[in-house]
Amino acid sequence: MLAIKSSENIQIKYASSLKQKKYRDAANLFLIEGTRLVETAVESNAVIKKCFCTPAAAANNRAAAIIENLAQKNCPIYEVSENIFHKLSDTNSPQGIIAVGEKTSINLSTMPKTNKTPIFIIMDQLQDPGNVGTIIRTADATGINGIISLKGTVDLFSPKVVRASMGSIFHLPIIDKITVEQLQFFLQENQLQLLSTVISKNAKPCFSINYKIPSAIAFGNEGAGISPQIKKLSAENIFIPMYGQAESLNASCAAAIIMYEIMRQKHFN
């Protein structure tokens, strides 16, 4: 383990720059902060380029096991002070360990098709990192086959999205910055029905849809909803029935309801 004594060290400056999207995109790298997330990344065989930890974290048995695992893989480990670590951290209560991970390199043509009736989640210009991370986490829990994020959606590898996913970002095939044209080709090539979620009783109730055929479910921007281009590609528009006085549901909550209906149909009906 190498000790870094200055916040002006090139390793610290480089890792800290990854808190900004333009540097993440340029380097194809992102930050993984916290014991649980780094542990999940290692267990999921994510490519870890380097790791930073404080002396207190290194003395913790769980974090020490992670550090030992990474050291055995010849991953550079840097010990830094609490003050220097705060320059890297994106949280109010840092746990003293942060890794630099490499983004996955799959694209639409290599998106795994693990069964005959795959289900994909399409994120159409969602902006809230908490919503996006939670959708990824729920997709993992319900056995969704992959996540496709269209251009205009918040960066899937921002620290807030990674944290909100609670490690599920390392379990699912995820592709971002996809154009509508690329999505259209993917849908046609794989014979997927595209279903767009809308707030309209003129659409079909989400519980009336057959999800036992290859499908992609689109969730739109928190304010504007599904974009006109995606609506045009959709086989059906669907909505979540509501019998109280609430006008709408949080995007991640709505996505969870539909994903659990998909799971119910595929595994319990």
Side-chain angles (χ1 to χ4, degrees):
M1 187 181 300
L2 303 173
I4 292 178
K5 303 292 186 182
S6 170
S7 61
E8 297 302 309
N9 181 280
I10 189 170
Q11 296 291 351
I12 300 299
K13 285 187 171 183
Y14 184 75
S16 180
S17 74
L18 298 177
K19 288 192 279 188
Q20 298 181 55
K21 182 180 184 299
K22 64 179 180 179
Y23 294 113
R24 291 194 296 270
D25 288 346
N28 203 42
L29 300 172
F30 68 108
L31 295 176
I32 307 163
E33 182 174 357
T35 305
R36 180 174 179 178
L37 283 177
V38 178
E39 184 178 64
T40 302
V42 173
E43 290 173 350
S44 303
N45 293 317
V47 177
I48 306 298
K49 302 303 250 181
K50 57 193 70 175
C51 181
F52 301 86
C53 67
T54 62
N60 175 279
N61 289 339
R62 190 173 175 187
I66 297 169
I67 293 166
E68 177 62 25
N69 189 320
L70 289 173
Q72 290 177 3
K73 297 177 181 178
N74 296 317
C75 175
I77 313 291
Y78 300 100
E79 185 177 87
V80 299
S81 68
E82 299 282 349
N83 286 339
I84 294 176
F85 191 86
H86 275 281
K87 184 170 182 177
L88 300 174
S89 175
D90 189 62
T91 65
N92 292 325
S93 302
Q95 296 177 0
I97 183 167
I98 192 165
V100 175
E102 187 173 88
K103 295 182 187 180
T104 53
S105 59
I106 64 170
N107 53 46
L108 284 179
S109 63
T110 58
M111 174 72 90
K113 318 295 190 305
T114 56
N115 56 50
K116 293 181 180 179
T117 57
I119 300 287
F120 298 97
I121 296 302
I122 312 298
M123 293 195 286
D124 180 18
Q125 301 181 60
L126 274 76
Q127 293 300 302
D128 184 85
N131 277 336
V132 170
T134 302
I135 288 172
I136 293 171
R137 185 180 181 184
T138 308
D140 183 17
T142 54
I144 297 299
N145 297 97
I147 301 281
I148 298 169
S149 174
L150 300 182
K151 284 186 175 180
T153 297
V154 67
D155 183 15
L156 302 191
F157 294 93
S158 74
K160 289 181 181 178
V161 171
V162 175
R163 284 200 305 277
S165 81
M166 292 297 287
S168 288
I169 198 166
F170 303 111
H171 298 157
L172 284 170
I174 295 176
I175 302 173
D176 64 350
K177 296 190 281 292
I178 297 301
T179 66
V180 173
E181 292 74 22
Q182 289 171 320
L183 176 63
Q184 182 177 14
F185 181 80
F186 178 77
L187 295 171
Q188 293 171 343
E189 185 181 40
N190 294 281
Q191 298 182 312
L192 298 166
Q193 68 167 348
L194 177 60
L195 306 169
S196 287
T197 55
V198 299
I199 302 175
S200 170
K201 291 186 178 180
N202 294 323
K204 286 190 175 181
C206 64
F207 304 117
S208 69
I209 300 296
N210 177 16
Y211 299 105
K212 294 181 180 179
I213 61 177
S215 305
I217 321 298
F219 297 95
N221 177 274
E222 291 86 350
I226 296 290
S227 63
Q229 299 95 320
I230 295 302
K231 282 184 181 178
K232 189 175 179 180
L233 293 181
S234 300
E236 296 284 357
N237 289 331
I238 62 176
F239 79 103
I240 298 172
M242 293 186 288
Y243 295 95
Q245 297 182 57
E247 183 179 310
S248 63
L249 294 171
N250 172 280
S252 59
C253 178
I257 289 169
I258 292 174
M259 284 190 271
Y260 269 92
E261 171 61 15
I262 292 168
M263 187 183 76
R264 185 192 68 80
Q265 286 192 22
K266 296 187 82 169
H267 299 287
F268 294 96
N269 189 10

